[in-house]
Amino acid sequence: METILCNNPADVKITVPSLVSLQKKQEATIVKVNGIEVGGSEVIIIAGPCAVESMEQLFETARSVKTAGAKILRGGAFKPRSSPYSFQGLGEEGLKLLSQIRKETGLPVVTEAMDTRQVELVAEYADMIQVGSRNMQNYPLLKEVGKCRKPVLLKRGMMATIEEFLNSAEYILNEGNDQVVLCERGIRTFETSMRNTLDLSAIPMLKHLSHLPVIVDPSHGTGLRWMVPVMAKAAVAAGADGLIMEVHYRPDAALCDGEQSLHLDKFTNLMSEIRKVAKAVGRKIL
Ligand code: PEP
Ligand code: MN
């Protein structure tokens, strides 16, 4: 068996695993999600509801975010909820709605697989498979999405270091799948005024250490609708290759995470502001 080497950048005191390392592969990896390129010059915006709830909810939201410039639709069919009594998602019915909306809008879809047993099913319907924060160190799941030939959106564990995050990505690449997008979504700190502490310094650090694209989730990162726009812009200014944001046609009636979901008009306004920030840092949003 080939020995897998680790690469230690001179100025950072952590060990970076080989396959994800920028020292091993100097060229940025571009992840292709059904024709949409994440990690190129364009900043890719992923938007949609936290959870798929109904045809109407998904269609109205998708149509609006697409018009505003989102390139990929998000929406959970299998939801990791803190309480077993909370809405758990529509399951396969939600996956069917996602693929139906993809057909109608042309937007590729990303949705979460929470368990190894869900990977095959999710891969049948989705264009990109999300591994959620709570599962970042679910090693059998990482291996399973690594074997599956779909792009993966890997969210940082809420208590994971950057070294642990990169090692989790390494699991996926080690199974032969290099189509991995890293997502900073906030970490737990001593701070309690926000849902999480969005670690924007993770963007330049991950890009310093790895060739994989990095996106940011300001929705889960803050938990506060009013704070999402400013953190979204800050993330693009700090070099993010994309954003994933929760948007809902009726946030107050959302079955999940309504308090951090943007209204359709607010998302549309935000897109024009993000375009300006992207341009200022030499990127673009089409
Ligand atoms: C999500 O994006 O739907 C989600 C559950 O986020 P996280 O895994 O980052 O909590
Ligand atoms: Mn959510």
Side-chain angles (χ1 to χ4, degrees):
M1 199 178 150
E2 190 198 347
T3 312
I4 302 293
L5 298 170
C6 291
N7 296 275
N8 295 290
D11 59 345
V12 181
K13 309 236 165 316
I14 65 170
T15 303
V16 180
S18 170
L19 301 175
V20 301
S21 171
L22 187 60
Q23 299 211 330
K24 169 105 181 260
K25 175 179 180 271
Q26 270 103 45
E27 191 189 330
T29 291
I30 292 185
V31 173
K32 292 198 181 78
V33 185
N34 201 351
I36 301 298
E37 296 191 345
V38 186
S41 60
E42 187 179 353
V43 175
I44 299 299
I45 309 299
I46 305 173
C50 178
V52 177
E53 298 168 8
S54 68
M55 182 70 181
E56 178 186 290
Q57 172 241 22
L58 197 58
F59 183 66
E60 293 301 324
T61 308
R63 194 175 54 165
S64 177
V65 299
K66 184 188 176 180
T67 305
K71 292 291 173 348
I72 300 174
L73 177 67
R74 66 149 289 145
F78 296 103
K79 292 304 302 175
R81 303 304 300 278
S82 299
S83 165
Y85 308 118
S86 300
F87 176 59
Q88 303 283 304
L90 296 179
E92 188 169 3
E93 189 51 38
L95 296 176
K96 287 182 180 161
L97 288 176
L98 282 166
S99 76
Q100 216 170 320
I101 298 295
R102 174 195 29 224
K103 216 185 283 170
E104 293 190 34
T105 62
L107 288 173
V109 299
V110 57
T111 195
E112 179 164 353
M114 293 202 297
D115 188 285
T116 51
R117 293 165 296 184
Q118 290 168 356
V119 172
E120 206 180 321
L121 182 71
V122 170
E124 254 178 61
Y125 293 97
D127 300 291
M128 181 180 218
I129 302 177
Q130 179 170 323
V131 173
S133 187
R134 291 154 191 80
N135 269 320
M136 191 207 81
Q137 287 178 312
N138 180 338
Y139 301 117
L141 180 60
L142 296 174
K143 287 183 185 172
E144 197 68 22
V145 297
K147 285 188 193 113
C148 151
R149 294 292 172 258
K150 286 270 171 159
V152 177
L153 177 57
L154 178 64
K155 299 191 83 173
R156 181 180 181 180
M158 60 185 81
M159 288 175 286
T161 63
I162 286 189
E163 186 170 354
E164 289 164 338
F165 191 17
L166 290 172
N167 272 286
S168 289
E170 185 83 2
Y171 264 89
I172 302 170
L173 271 72
N174 195 37
E175 295 296 329
N177 187 355
D178 75 338
Q179 294 289 285
V180 177
V181 173
L182 303 171
C183 178
E184 161 60 36
R185 50 78 71 203
I187 52 174
R188 283 206 165 152
T189 65
F190 50 82
E191 182 53 57
T192 55
S193 62
M194 293 158 286
R195 182 171 177 178
N196 290 289
T197 297
L198 188 60
D199 179 12
L200 292 182
S201 60
I203 308 163
M205 181 55 79
L206 289 167
K207 295 198 74 78
H208 181 64
L209 301 177
S210 176
H211 52 83
L212 296 173
V214 177
I215 71 165
V216 169
D217 176 348
S219 306
H220 293 90
T222 64
L224 299 164
R225 180 186 301 146
W226 60 267
M227 202 185 276
V228 168
V230 68
M231 297 311 276
K233 287 182 275 184
V236 172
D241 296 302
L243 299 168
I244 180 166
M245 290 182 280
E246 289 184 339
V247 182
H248 197 287
Y249 81 141
R250 287 183 197 151
D252 297 336
L255 297 180
C256 186
D257 285 350
E259 64 291 339
Q260 67 191 33
S261 301
L262 295 171
H263 291 88
L264 301 180
D265 58 339
K266 287 289 186 319
F267 176 75
T268 301
N269 294 344
L270 175 58
M271 283 299 294
S272 62
E273 289 176 39
I274 296 175
R275 279 195 176 89
K276 290 182 215 158
V277 177
K279 194 168 171 214
V281 294
R283 306 288 290 265
K284 62 181 179 198
I285 296 178
L286 297 174

